[in-house]
Amino acid sequence: MKQLFHIDNPGDSSIPKVLSIRFGQQYVCFSISNKQADQLFHLAYCTSAEWNETELDEFIVAYPVLTNSFYQVLIAYDYTESSLVPIQDYRQEESGNVLRSLYGRGSAAITIAEAVPQSQLYNIFAVPKEIIDWTNRKFPSAKCWHQYTIGIRNSNAAGTAESLFVDFRKEDFTIMAVRQGKLLLAQSYEYVSPEDVLYYLLRITQQFSLSQEECKVCLSGLVDQQSTLYKELYQYFIHLDFREATWNAGDYPAHFFTSLNDLARCAS
C-alpha cells in the first residue's frame, strides 16, 4: 500500500462527521468532512496493485480515525464493470448475464442493480465479493452507490448544453458525456500517454456530434494545469475548466478530490 495524499486537520470535535470512502481497482481513498461537505478534517488516498482483505485491514490500522463513530458513512464503488440500462428494458433476473456478456465476469464478484431515477436508468455493476464482505463487516450501516450513479447526479445538475465530465486516476479515467441534461455515455478508459486521452475525447465528440468549440470539458482528479496532458487537451477544447471541490484541500489543488467531495455531498 502506497500513500499518495494525506490531510489531517481534526477541527472541532463537536461537529457531526461524515466518512466517505471510494473503492477502486487500484486505489482506496477516504475523507472525513462535515454534513455540508464544505469542511475537510481528514483525507487519505492510497494505491495498491490489488486491494484485498489484508490490504484493507492494513488501511484501517494506518488510519485509526476510520474506527471513530460517524454521523453517516458513505461508500462509492468505482469499478469499471458497469452497464447502464433504460428502466423499461431492465430485468432483474438478467442482470448477471448482462455483465457476464460484456466483461466475462467471474464468480468472485457480486452484481448490484441500482436505480438512477433522474435519468430513467438502472446501473448494473459488479463489485469484488471480498470488498463487499469487508465493507459490510466494517461499516454495516453505510449508504453505498456506484461512482457512475453519483457522477450522473452531478452531471444532471450542471444543466449545460454539451459537457464532458472527465475524472482522472493514475492510470485510467472516467468520461461522462451529457447533452441538454441527457446522459449520452458513462465509460472508463485506461491510458498511458496524453495522446490516449485525447483520442478517446475526440472519438466521443465525433460519435455524439459534440462541438469542440461549444462543448464544456470539466476536469477533475489527478491532472495538473501545468501537465502535458492539460496542455494537449487545451489545444483542442476551448472550454476547458477544473471542477473544484466545495472544501479546502490545503496545499493540494481542490479538483484532485472532487469525486470524493461529490460522495460526501450525498450526506442527508
Side-chain angles (χ1 to χ4, degrees), residues 152-183:
I152 291 168
R153 178 186 303 176
N154 285 281
S155 65
N156 286 349
T160 53
E162 296 182 356
S163 298
L164 293 176
F165 295 86
V166 190
D167 185 57
F168 290 93
R169 275 83 68 180
K170 283 193 68 178
E171 298 177 352
D172 67 326
F173 63 100
T174 297
I175 298 180
M176 288 195 175
V178 178
R179 179 192 287 121
Q180 301 292 351
K182 180 181 178 181
L183 180 72

mmCIF file of all heavy atoms in Angstrom, residues 152-183:
data_model
loop_
_atom_site.group_PDB
_atom_site.id
_atom_site.type_symbol
_atom_site.label_atom_id
_atom_site.label_comp_id
_atom_site.label_asym_id
_atom_site.label_seq_id
_atom_site.Cartn_x
_atom_site.Cartn_y
_atom_site.Cartn_z
ATOM 1 N N ILE A 152 -23.622 10.791 -12.480
ATOM 2 C CA ILE A 152 -24.801 11.158 -13.266
ATOM 3 C C ILE A 152 -25.606 12.217 -12.533
ATOM 4 O O ILE A 152 -26.090 13.184 -13.138
ATOM 5 C CB ILE A 152 -25.664 9.909 -13.549
ATOM 6 C CG1 ILE A 152 -24.930 8.975 -14.518
ATOM 7 C CG2 ILE A 152 -27.016 10.305 -14.128
ATOM 8 C CD1 ILE A 152 -25.566 7.611 -14.635
ATOM 9 N N ARG A 153 -25.743 12.058 -11.235
ATOM 10 C CA ARG A 153 -26.468 13.046 -10.438
ATOM 11 C C ARG A 153 -25.826 14.433 -10.574
ATOM 12 O O ARG A 153 -26.523 15.439 -10.754
ATOM 13 C CB ARG A 153 -26.465 12.622 -8.966
ATOM 14 C CG ARG A 153 -27.156 13.592 -8.033
ATOM 15 C CD ARG A 153 -26.981 13.163 -6.586
ATOM 16 N NE ARG A 153 -27.485 11.816 -6.348
ATOM 17 C CZ ARG A 153 -27.372 11.183 -5.191
ATOM 18 N NH1 ARG A 153 -26.745 11.775 -4.176
ATOM 19 N NH2 ARG A 153 -27.859 9.977 -5.039
ATOM 20 N N ASN A 154 -24.515 14.501 -10.539
ATOM 21 C CA ASN A 154 -23.824 15.787 -10.643
ATOM 22 C C ASN A 154 -23.833 16.338 -12.061
ATOM 23 O O ASN A 154 -23.914 17.552 -12.261
ATOM 24 C CB ASN A 154 -22.391 15.650 -10.138
ATOM 25 C CG ASN A 154 -22.311 15.571 -8.631
ATOM 26 O OD1 ASN A 154 -22.388 16.582 -7.948
ATOM 27 N ND2 ASN A 154 -22.180 14.368 -8.104
ATOM 28 N N SER A 155 -23.756 15.462 -13.055
ATOM 29 C CA SER A 155 -23.781 15.934 -14.435
ATOM 30 C C SER A 155 -25.151 16.495 -14.791
ATOM 31 O O SER A 155 -25.262 17.487 -15.519
ATOM 32 C CB SER A 155 -23.407 14.803 -15.399
ATOM 33 O OG SER A 155 -24.372 13.776 -15.385
ATOM 34 N N ASN A 156 -26.217 15.900 -14.262
ATOM 35 C CA ASN A 156 -27.555 16.432 -14.500
ATOM 36 C C ASN A 156 -27.727 17.796 -13.870
ATOM 37 O O ASN A 156 -28.399 18.667 -14.423
ATOM 38 C CB ASN A 156 -28.611 15.472 -13.938
ATOM 39 C CG ASN A 156 -28.787 14.231 -14.791
ATOM 40 O OD1 ASN A 156 -28.274 14.171 -15.903
ATOM 41 N ND2 ASN A 156 -29.489 13.237 -14.280
ATOM 42 N N ALA A 157 -27.102 17.991 -12.721
ATOM 43 C CA ALA A 157 -27.231 19.273 -12.022
ATOM 44 C C ALA A 157 -26.511 20.400 -12.752
ATOM 45 O O ALA A 157 -26.795 21.572 -12.541
ATOM 46 C CB ALA A 157 -26.690 19.140 -10.601
ATOM 47 N N ALA A 158 -25.555 20.054 -13.620
ATOM 48 C CA ALA A 158 -24.778 21.086 -14.312
ATOM 49 C C ALA A 158 -25.632 21.906 -15.267
ATOM 50 O O ALA A 158 -25.451 23.119 -15.412
ATOM 51 C CB ALA A 158 -23.624 20.444 -15.072
ATOM 52 N N GLY A 159 -26.557 21.245 -15.975
ATOM 53 C CA GLY A 159 -27.510 21.952 -16.814
ATOM 54 C C GLY A 159 -26.940 22.625 -18.043
ATOM 55 O O GLY A 159 -27.580 23.496 -18.625
ATOM 56 N N THR A 160 -25.742 22.282 -18.469
ATOM 57 C CA THR A 160 -25.166 22.896 -19.664
ATOM 58 C C THR A 160 -25.575 22.129 -20.911
ATOM 59 O O THR A 160 -25.956 20.968 -20.849
ATOM 60 C CB THR A 160 -23.629 22.933 -19.571
ATOM 61 O OG1 THR A 160 -23.151 21.620 -19.291
ATOM 62 C CG2 THR A 160 -23.183 23.868 -18.457
ATOM 63 N N ALA A 161 -25.488 22.788 -22.063
ATOM 64 C CA ALA A 161 -25.956 22.190 -23.317
ATOM 65 C C ALA A 161 -25.139 20.952 -23.678
ATOM 66 O O ALA A 161 -25.690 19.882 -23.921
ATOM 67 C CB ALA A 161 -25.894 23.225 -24.430
ATOM 68 N N GLU A 162 -23.819 21.091 -23.751
ATOM 69 C CA GLU A 162 -22.936 19.972 -24.081
ATOM 70 C C GLU A 162 -21.769 19.952 -23.103
ATOM 71 O O GLU A 162 -21.081 20.965 -22.941
ATOM 72 C CB GLU A 162 -22.398 20.101 -25.508
ATOM 73 C CG GLU A 162 -23.457 20.017 -26.594
ATOM 74 C CD GLU A 162 -22.844 20.106 -27.982
ATOM 75 O OE1 GLU A 162 -21.610 20.306 -28.079
ATOM 76 O OE2 GLU A 162 -23.591 19.961 -28.966
ATOM 77 N N SER A 163 -21.550 18.810 -22.467
ATOM 78 C CA SER A 163 -20.479 18.728 -21.468
ATOM 79 C C SER A 163 -19.820 17.359 -21.494
ATOM 80 O O SER A 163 -20.478 16.343 -21.736
ATOM 81 C CB SER A 163 -21.019 18.973 -20.051
ATOM 82 O OG SER A 163 -21.572 20.261 -19.919
ATOM 83 N N LEU A 164 -18.518 17.369 -21.233
ATOM 84 C CA LEU A 164 -17.767 16.149 -20.955
ATOM 85 C C LEU A 164 -17.194 16.280 -19.544
ATOM 86 O O LEU A 164 -16.458 17.231 -19.256
ATOM 87 C CB LEU A 164 -16.626 15.952 -21.958
ATOM 88 C CG LEU A 164 -16.993 15.670 -23.407
ATOM 89 C CD1 LEU A 164 -15.725 15.614 -24.264
ATOM 90 C CD2 LEU A 164 -17.769 14.367 -23.530
ATOM 91 N N PHE A 165 -17.558 15.359 -18.665
ATOM 92 C CA PHE A 165 -17.022 15.334 -17.309
ATOM 93 C C PHE A 165 -15.944 14.254 -17.271
ATOM 94 O O PHE A 165 -16.241 13.066 -17.470
ATOM 95 C CB PHE A 165 -18.125 15.035 -16.296
ATOM 96 C CG PHE A 165 -19.180 16.102 -16.224
ATOM 97 C CD1 PHE A 165 -20.263 16.087 -17.096
ATOM 98 C CD2 PHE A 165 -19.080 17.135 -15.301
ATOM 99 C CE1 PHE A 165 -21.236 17.072 -17.047
ATOM 100 C CE2 PHE A 165 -20.043 18.127 -15.248
ATOM 101 C CZ PHE A 165 -21.127 18.102 -16.125
ATOM 102 N N VAL A 166 -14.701 14.664 -17.032
ATOM 103 C CA VAL A 166 -13.563 13.757 -17.138
ATOM 104 C C VAL A 166 -12.838 13.718 -15.791
ATOM 105 O O VAL A 166 -12.353 14.744 -15.315
ATOM 106 C CB VAL A 166 -12.583 14.201 -18.245
ATOM 107 C CG1 VAL A 166 -11.547 13.112 -18.495
ATOM 108 C CG2 VAL A 166 -13.329 14.538 -19.537
ATOM 109 N N ASP A 167 -12.800 12.539 -15.187
ATOM 110 C CA ASP A 167 -12.184 12.372 -13.873
ATOM 111 C C ASP A 167 -11.007 11.412 -13.989
ATOM 112 O O ASP A 167 -11.171 10.275 -14.456
ATOM 113 C CB ASP A 167 -13.212 11.840 -12.871
ATOM 114 C CG ASP A 167 -12.652 11.759 -11.467
ATOM 115 O OD1 ASP A 167 -12.201 12.795 -10.947
ATOM 116 O OD2 ASP A 167 -12.668 10.658 -10.876
ATOM 117 N N PHE A 168 -9.832 11.856 -13.542
ATOM 118 C CA PHE A 168 -8.593 11.096 -13.728
ATOM 119 C C PHE A 168 -8.140 10.386 -12.460
ATOM 120 O O PHE A 168 -8.128 10.969 -11.374
ATOM 121 C CB PHE A 168 -7.461 12.028 -14.177
ATOM 122 C CG PHE A 168 -7.627 12.541 -15.579
ATOM 123 C CD1 PHE A 168 -8.266 13.750 -15.810
ATOM 124 C CD2 PHE A 168 -7.166 11.825 -16.669
ATOM 125 C CE1 PHE A 168 -8.427 14.232 -17.094
ATOM 126 C CE2 PHE A 168 -7.323 12.289 -17.953
ATOM 127 C CZ PHE A 168 -7.958 13.504 -18.172
ATOM 128 N N ARG A 169 -7.747 9.125 -12.625
ATOM 129 C CA ARG A 169 -6.954 8.419 -11.639
ATOM 130 C C ARG A 169 -5.529 8.320 -12.180
ATOM 131 O O ARG A 169 -5.204 8.995 -13.144
ATOM 132 C CB ARG A 169 -7.522 7.025 -11.377
ATOM 133 C CG ARG A 169 -8.641 7.017 -10.340
ATOM 134 C CD ARG A 169 -9.977 7.382 -10.912
ATOM 135 N NE ARG A 169 -10.466 6.347 -11.817
ATOM 136 C CZ ARG A 169 -11.625 6.416 -12.463
ATOM 137 N NH1 ARG A 169 -12.415 7.458 -12.299
ATOM 138 N NH2 ARG A 169 -12.008 5.437 -13.257
ATOM 139 N N LYS A 170 -4.686 7.480 -11.582
ATOM 140 C CA LYS A 170 -3.287 7.416 -12.023
ATOM 141 C C LYS A 170 -3.146 6.813 -13.411
ATOM 142 O O LYS A 170 -2.336 7.269 -14.214
ATOM 143 C CB LYS A 170 -2.458 6.600 -11.021
ATOM 144 C CG LYS A 170 -2.106 7.354 -9.746
ATOM 145 C CD LYS A 170 -1.046 6.612 -8.969
ATOM 146 C CE LYS A 170 0.292 6.619 -9.699
ATOM 147 N NZ LYS A 170 1.351 5.930 -8.930
ATOM 148 N N GLU A 171 -3.921 5.768 -13.702
ATOM 149 C CA GLU A 171 -3.732 5.052 -14.960
ATOM 150 C C GLU A 171 -5.016 4.901 -15.767
ATOM 151 O O GLU A 171 -5.027 4.241 -16.802
ATOM 152 C CB GLU A 171 -3.136 3.666 -14.674
ATOM 153 C CG GLU A 171 -1.761 3.734 -14.015
ATOM 154 C CD GLU A 171 -1.226 2.361 -13.670
ATOM 155 O OE1 GLU A 171 -1.976 1.374 -13.800
ATOM 156 O OE2 GLU A 171 -0.040 2.263 -13.281
ATOM 157 N N ASP A 172 -6.103 5.473 -15.295
ATOM 158 C CA ASP A 172 -7.343 5.414 -16.049
ATOM 159 C C ASP A 172 -8.179 6.648 -15.745
ATOM 160 O O ASP A 172 -7.840 7.440 -14.864
ATOM 161 C CB ASP A 172 -8.115 4.123 -15.759
ATOM 162 C CG ASP A 172 -8.638 4.063 -14.344
ATOM 163 O OD1 ASP A 172 -7.974 4.583 -13.431
ATOM 164 O OD2 ASP A 172 -9.720 3.497 -14.130
ATOM 165 N N PHE A 173 -9.257 6.823 -16.483
ATOM 166 C CA PHE A 173 -10.125 7.982 -16.288
ATOM 167 C C PHE A 173 -11.542 7.623 -16.704
ATOM 168 O O PHE A 173 -11.780 6.677 -17.471
ATOM 169 C CB PHE A 173 -9.627 9.205 -17.074
ATOM 170 C CG PHE A 173 -9.634 9.016 -18.571
ATOM 171 C CD1 PHE A 173 -10.663 9.537 -19.352
ATOM 172 C CD2 PHE A 173 -8.607 8.329 -19.208
ATOM 173 C CE1 PHE A 173 -10.674 9.365 -20.722
ATOM 174 C CE2 PHE A 173 -8.597 8.155 -20.591
ATOM 175 C CZ PHE A 173 -9.638 8.677 -21.352
ATOM 176 N N THR A 174 -12.492 8.380 -16.170
ATOM 177 C CA THR A 174 -13.906 8.208 -16.493
ATOM 178 C C THR A 174 -14.392 9.402 -17.290
ATOM 179 O O THR A 174 -14.045 10.550 -16.984
ATOM 180 C CB THR A 174 -14.743 8.074 -15.210
ATOM 181 O OG1 THR A 174 -14.343 6.891 -14.513
ATOM 182 C CG2 THR A 174 -16.230 7.987 -15.526
ATOM 183 N N ILE A 175 -15.202 9.139 -18.320
ATOM 184 C CA ILE A 175 -15.841 10.206 -19.096
ATOM 185 C C ILE A 175 -17.348 10.048 -19.002
ATOM 186 O O ILE A 175 -17.880 8.947 -19.190
ATOM 187 C CB ILE A 175 -15.441 10.159 -20.585
ATOM 188 C CG1 ILE A 175 -13.942 10.367 -20.766
ATOM 189 C CG2 ILE A 175 -16.203 11.225 -21.372
ATOM 190 C CD1 ILE A 175 -13.514 10.331 -22.229
ATOM 191 N N MET A 176 -18.022 11.156 -18.713
ATOM 192 C CA MET A 176 -19.470 11.218 -18.841
ATOM 193 C C MET A 176 -19.792 12.299 -19.853
ATOM 194 O O MET A 176 -19.367 13.448 -19.699
ATOM 195 C CB MET A 176 -20.133 11.519 -17.500
ATOM 196 C CG MET A 176 -20.071 10.361 -16.548
ATOM 197 S SD MET A 176 -21.191 10.546 -15.158
ATOM 198 C CE MET A 176 -20.951 8.963 -14.374
ATOM 199 N N ALA A 177 -20.517 11.932 -20.898
ATOM 200 C CA ALA A 177 -20.924 12.880 -21.934
ATOM 201 C C ALA A 177 -22.397 13.208 -21.739
ATOM 202 O O ALA A 177 -23.227 12.300 -21.593
ATOM 203 C CB ALA A 177 -20.683 12.288 -23.323
ATOM 204 N N VAL A 178 -22.710 14.501 -21.740
ATOM 205 C CA VAL A 178 -24.074 14.959 -21.457
ATOM 206 C C VAL A 178 -24.468 16.020 -22.477
ATOM 207 O O VAL A 178 -23.664 16.893 -22.819
ATOM 208 C CB VAL A 178 -24.174 15.555 -20.033
ATOM 209 C CG1 VAL A 178 -25.579 16.078 -19.755
ATOM 210 C CG2 VAL A 178 -23.782 14.514 -18.987
ATOM 211 N N ARG A 179 -25.707 15.927 -22.947
ATOM 212 C CA ARG A 179 -26.261 16.975 -23.806
ATOM 213 C C ARG A 179 -27.658 17.334 -23.312
ATOM 214 O O ARG A 179 -28.510 16.462 -23.205
ATOM 215 C CB ARG A 179 -26.334 16.532 -25.270
ATOM 216 C CG ARG A 179 -26.939 17.620 -26.197
ATOM 217 C CD ARG A 179 -27.301 17.118 -27.578
ATOM 218 N NE ARG A 179 -26.111 16.884 -28.380
ATOM 219 C CZ ARG A 179 -25.794 15.693 -28.906
ATOM 220 N NH1 ARG A 179 -26.575 14.637 -28.683
ATOM 221 N NH2 ARG A 179 -24.707 15.551 -29.638
ATOM 222 N N GLN A 180 -27.886 18.624 -23.021
ATOM 223 C CA GLN A 180 -29.186 19.100 -22.551
ATOM 224 C C GLN A 180 -29.712 18.274 -21.379
ATOM 225 O O GLN A 180 -30.890 17.938 -21.302
ATOM 226 C CB GLN A 180 -30.198 19.081 -23.699
ATOM 227 C CG GLN A 180 -29.837 19.929 -24.898
ATOM 228 C CD GLN A 180 -29.883 21.431 -24.597
ATOM 229 O OE1 GLN A 180 -30.338 21.859 -23.530
ATOM 230 N NE2 GLN A 180 -29.400 22.244 -25.526
ATOM 231 N N GLY A 181 -28.800 17.939 -20.445
ATOM 232 C CA GLY A 181 -29.200 17.178 -19.274
ATOM 233 C C GLY A 181 -29.402 15.698 -19.501
ATOM 234 O O GLY A 181 -29.744 14.958 -18.570
ATOM 235 N N LYS A 182 -29.182 15.213 -20.720
ATOM 236 C CA LYS A 182 -29.352 13.791 -21.035
ATOM 237 C C LYS A 182 -27.999 13.110 -21.115
ATOM 238 O O LYS A 182 -27.100 13.560 -21.827
ATOM 239 C CB LYS A 182 -30.089 13.630 -22.364
ATOM 240 C CG LYS A 182 -30.311 12.167 -22.757
ATOM 241 C CD LYS A 182 -31.018 12.043 -24.091
ATOM 242 C CE LYS A 182 -31.198 10.584 -24.486
ATOM 243 N NZ LYS A 182 -31.875 10.451 -25.809
ATOM 244 N N LEU A 183 -27.866 12.018 -20.388
ATOM 245 C CA LEU A 183 -26.617 11.268 -20.399
ATOM 246 C C LEU A 183 -26.456 10.516 -21.714
ATOM 247 O O LEU A 183 -27.338 9.772 -22.142
ATOM 248 C CB LEU A 183 -26.597 10.272 -19.236
ATOM 249 C CG LEU A 183 -25.339 9.406 -19.121
ATOM 250 C CD1 LEU A 183 -24.161 10.239 -18.647
ATOM 251 C CD2 LEU A 183 -25.582 8.230 -18.176
#
